[in-house]
């Protein structure tokens, strides 16, 4: 992904599409509590008619923009951010016209249903300042089932306007059987795709997990025949680092900036660790705990049950979902633990096929092979899988 540092006259814009460019600070604006959909996996149980004003947003952002630094990322958050479209337009244009101490970029995630022709024209003109990431669940039929709306969403507009920005594709236990078809559908439309397993209150059944493994196999077969398509995150793993972790167990890192380095401002200007750990989602004692600083008082974010796992340096978790569903920031979703192991094994299978096809093994390939054997030995001890050989099979 190309990184640009281009400055624009009249402001300090940076091409927002280039999300690989490192920022030295991020800030979230909870611009609206409104949403026009009712997605099955949404953690917002009660939609409200609350919106941030332009004046509040300007007052929050001005100190961040005036501060000396390289780049500040400003994230529009909410329920559906484009329900606050008029304010978003005003704040982006205000920022573009200012003279600041650093560059900026705006980002927002959207379900894509609120785009009009005129809004698309505005977004295209301002695409160097703001990027919108589309949430779209793969096949139109799955999108309709999960979100209740598939027709009229201009997927191609997002791909054309921000070609490097992944389409966020949410996978649930109910929709997992269509995961591979959905990924391939979006890849063939020209999208970069990020399939993301939803953090849900209920754990997946064994049948759903088995289906996830089958979907990974189908995607391996697709990629082996279509290497030019961009990888999904399920096939991005540092096996050498995992092998090293087996000899030198890692302390699980805090996996997001919630409560340290990132803050979200509510519609009234009050600050919270993230949008989930805010009145948008929380009520009662759990919200009181956040307001009293329970997150800041937590020093160790590791789950004892994960000690010694080599994937701890990369395994995903959500502190906020752990808190709302399991009353503890560190108590991980077991579904995601199982899925992480399945993804690593699938990635190894793909790597074995790639290495087997090579006429000459290079030194870096030898390191990868050593890591593969070490990880599979670990998985076999856990009763997960057998050995591998370089004919492309895992026994």
């Amino acid at each position: 992904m190309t990184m640009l540092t281009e400055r624009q006259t009249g402001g300090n814009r940076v091409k927002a599409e280039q999300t690989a460019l490192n920022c030295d600070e991020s800030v979230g604006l909870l611009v609206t509590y409104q949403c026009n959909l009712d997605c099955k996996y949404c953690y917002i149980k009660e939609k409200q008619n609350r919106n941030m004003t332009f004046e509040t947003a300007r007052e929050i952002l001005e100190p961040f923009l005036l501060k000396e630094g390289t780049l500040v990322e400003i994230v529009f958050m909410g329920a559906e951010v484009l329900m606050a479209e008029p304010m978003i337009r005003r704040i982006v244009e205000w920022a573009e016209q200012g003279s600041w101490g650093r560059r900026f970029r705006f980002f927002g995630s959207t379900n894509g249903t609120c785009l009009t022709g005129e809004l698309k024209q505005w977004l295209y003109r301002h695409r160097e300042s703001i990027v919108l990431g589309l949430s779209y669940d793969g096949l139109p039929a799955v999108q309709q089932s999960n979100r209740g709306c598939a027709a009229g969403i201009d997927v191609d507009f997002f791909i054309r306007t921000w070609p490097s920005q992944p389409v966020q594709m949410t996978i649930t236990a109910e929709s997992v059987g269509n995961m591979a078809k959905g990924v391939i559908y979006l890849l063939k439309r020209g999208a970069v795709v990020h399939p993301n397993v939803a953090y849900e209150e209920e754990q997946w059944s064994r049948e759903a997990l088995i289906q996830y493994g089958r979907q990974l196999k189908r995607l391996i077969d697709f990629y082996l025949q279509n290497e030019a398509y961009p990888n999904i995150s399920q096939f991005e793993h540092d096996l050498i680092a995992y092998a090293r972790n087996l000899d030198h167990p890692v302390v699980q890192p805090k996996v997001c900036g919630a409560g340290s380095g990132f803050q979200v401002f509510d519609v009234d200007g009050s600050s919270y660790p993230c949008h989930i750990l805010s009145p948008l989602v929380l009520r009662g004692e759990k919200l009181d705990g956040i307001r009293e600083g329970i997150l800041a008082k937590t020093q160790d974010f590791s789950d004892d049950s994960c000690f010694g796992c080599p994937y701890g340096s990369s395994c995903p978790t959500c502190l906020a979902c752990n808190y709302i569903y399991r009353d503890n920031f560190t108590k991980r979703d077991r579904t995601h633990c199982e899925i992480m192991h399945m993804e690593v094994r699938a990635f190894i299978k793909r790597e074995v096929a790639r290495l087997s096809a090579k006429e000459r093994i290079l030194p870096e390939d030898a390191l990868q092979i050593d890591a593969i054997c070490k990880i599979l030995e670990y998985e076999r001890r856990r009763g997960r899988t057998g050995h591998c050989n370089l004919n492309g099979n895992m026994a």
Side-chain angles (χ1 to χ4, degrees):
M1 196 179 294
T2 304
M3 293 191 294
L4 300 181
T5 56
E6 180 179 26
R7 285 179 178 267
Q8 304 293 329
T9 58
N12 295 37
R13 293 185 289 178
V14 63
K15 287 193 173 182
E17 158 195 345
Q18 308 301 336
T19 56
L21 185 62
N22 291 330
C23 61
D24 55 17
E25 194 167 22
S26 295
V27 58
L29 298 182
L30 192 45
V31 293
T32 183
Y33 280 39
Q34 296 185 81
C35 186
N36 59 334
L37 299 183
D38 188 19
C39 303
K40 289 181 177 179
Y41 43 74
C42 186
Y43 40 73
I44 304 171
K45 302 304 181 185
E46 180 185 346
K47 309 296 192 300
Q48 300 177 60
N49 185 20
R50 299 186 66 199
N51 301 284
M52 180 177 286
T53 66
F54 167 75
E55 290 74 20
T56 298
R58 181 180 60 188
E59 184 177 345
I60 292 167
L61 291 182
E62 198 162 34
F64 288 96
L65 291 167
L66 288 171
K67 188 188 304 184
E68 290 295 326
T70 55
L71 175 68
V72 59
E73 181 174 58
I74 303 158
V75 185
F76 296 126
M77 311 182 87
E80 168 49 44
V81 299
L82 288 184
M83 300 294 283
E85 172 212 332
M87 192 281 285
I88 287 173
R89 290 205 205 196
R90 287 188 68 189
I91 206 70
V92 169
E93 292 177 355
W94 165 79
E96 288 174 339
Q97 294 163 10
S99 180
W100 310 111
R102 68 210 303 194
R103 291 167 296 132
F104 62 84
R105 66 180 174 209
F106 290 92
F107 176 80
S109 182
T110 176
N111 60 37
T113 60
C114 297
L115 291 184
T116 63
E118 193 275 331
L119 177 56
K120 285 189 282 189
Q121 292 177 12
W122 182 90
L123 287 166
Y124 192 81
R125 290 196 304 271
H126 295 269
R127 66 190 182 280
E128 294 180 2
S129 296
I130 179 172
V131 58
L132 289 183
L134 176 64
S135 293
Y136 191 89
D137 292 345
L139 297 177
V142 176
Q143 170 76 9
Q144 181 67 39
S145 175
N146 281 353
R147 297 170 176 263
C149 182
I153 299 175
D154 192 348
V155 177
D156 293 333
F157 169 78
F158 291 88
I159 298 170
R160 183 173 63 252
T161 307
W162 303 286
S164 299
Q165 174 61 37
V167 173
Q168 298 288 328
M169 176 180 158
T170 302
I171 312 299
T172 67
E174 182 179 325
S175 68
V176 65
N178 284 302
M179 173 179 158
K181 287 181 180 179
V183 169
I184 294 168
Y185 169 78
L186 290 172
L187 287 174
K188 288 187 173 181
R189 291 188 72 162
V192 178
V193 186
H194 178 50
N196 178 47
V197 175
Y199 289 98
E200 299 176 273
E201 188 169 5
E202 299 296 326
Q203 305 296 313
W204 280 21
S205 67
R206 176 54 51 185
E207 291 74 19
L209 289 168
I210 290 171
Q211 183 61 254
Y212 189 79
R214 291 175 181 152
Q215 298 301 306
L216 290 174
K217 183 181 183 303
R218 290 172 186 170
L219 286 167
I220 291 171
D221 294 340
F222 171 79
Y223 275 111
L224 289 175
Q225 300 297 319
N226 300 274
E227 295 181 356
Y229 285 102
N231 267 338
I232 56 175
S233 56
Q234 280 80 351
F235 296 132
E236 296 284 352
H237 290 279
D238 188 342
L239 300 180
I240 294 173
Y242 297 161
R244 185 168 57 247
N245 293 344
L246 284 168
D247 294 326
H248 307 282
V250 294
V251 175
Q252 294 170 21
K254 186 166 176 285
V255 295
C256 72
S260 58
F262 180 70
Q263 57 183 322
V264 170
F265 291 91
D266 198 3
V267 293
D268 61 1
S270 55
S271 177
Y272 292 90
C274 78
H275 66 301
I276 300 178
L277 300 176
S278 80
L280 175 69
V281 177
L282 298 181
R283 301 286 186 276
E285 292 182 2
K286 287 189 176 179
L287 180 58
D288 292 340
I290 296 301
R291 286 172 170 162
E292 291 165 5
I294 186 175
L295 180 59
K297 297 172 185 175
T298 303
Q299 300 299 315
D300 183 2
F301 290 92
S302 60
D303 187 327
D304 290 343
S305 65
C306 299
F307 179 75
C309 177
Y311 315 138
S313 56
S314 300
C315 190
T317 189
C318 176
L319 304 180
C321 288
N322 293 344
Y323 182 67
I324 63 174
Y325 294 141
R326 289 172 289 281
D327 303 316
N328 191 312
F329 295 116
T330 69
K331 193 170 181 58
R332 287 173 171 245
D333 179 350
R334 294 298 108 188
T335 294
H336 281 76
C337 292
E338 293 293 328
I339 281 173
M340 185 69 175
H341 284 273
M342 296 172 73
E343 288 179 4
V344 172
R345 296 198 305 274
F347 179 66
I348 285 175
K349 188 170 184 178
R350 183 178 171 187
E351 280 293 277
V352 167
R354 180 183 70 82
L355 292 165
S356 299
K358 298 190 73 167
E359 294 182 0
R360 178 169 173 262
I361 298 296
L362 301 174
E364 55 267 31
D365 297 328
L367 291 174
Q368 189 80 331
I369 292 169
D370 287 345
I372 287 172
C373 292
K374 197 167 187 176
I375 293 168
L376 286 179
E377 175 60 26
Y378 160 77
E379 288 284 345
R380 183 165 67 250
R381 291 197 306 269
R382 295 183 73 252
R384 297 285 180 176
T385 188
H387 66 277
C388 85
N389 50 52
L390 288 184
N391 63 7
N393 297 316
M394 291 201 308

